[in-house]
Amino acid sequence: MPAPIDAEYFDLGDFTLESGFTLRDAKLAYKTYGTLNAEKTNVIVYPTWYSGWHTDNEWLIGTDKALNPDEWFIVIPNMIGNGLSSSPSNTPAPTIVLAFPP
């Protein structure tokens, strides 16, 4: 299955991982559904899992589903390393694929 092309990207800049390794110019891919209300109180963050993409969560989103975009502003971030966010396949040198992340 080809990677989704409808993600948006947030620039994390130089992002230091818990291990101490710093991903240079890191990017976080995400997708939103619904509309943020004026009070900013209707946000649900529903992350992906190891090797999952935001599209894998879409079966839960719909007016008749658990995550109703008419009621909620749903944010699905793609985990780092899943091929959409910063990953070995899309991170330029000097980060080496074998050292991502250590």
Side-chain angles (χ1 to χ4, degrees), residues 50-90:
Y50 184 74
S51 79
W53 292 325
H54 63 275
T55 52
D56 296 322
N57 292 341
E58 288 180 335
W59 68 275
L60 293 166
I61 300 169
T63 56
D64 60 339
K65 308 278 172 88
L67 301 173
N68 183 345
D70 292 341
E71 181 178 350
W72 301 103
F73 179 64
I74 305 143
V75 181
I76 302 180
N78 290 270
M79 77 179 278
I80 290 175
N82 81 343
L84 296 179
S85 294
S86 289
S87 303
S89 62
N90 63 21

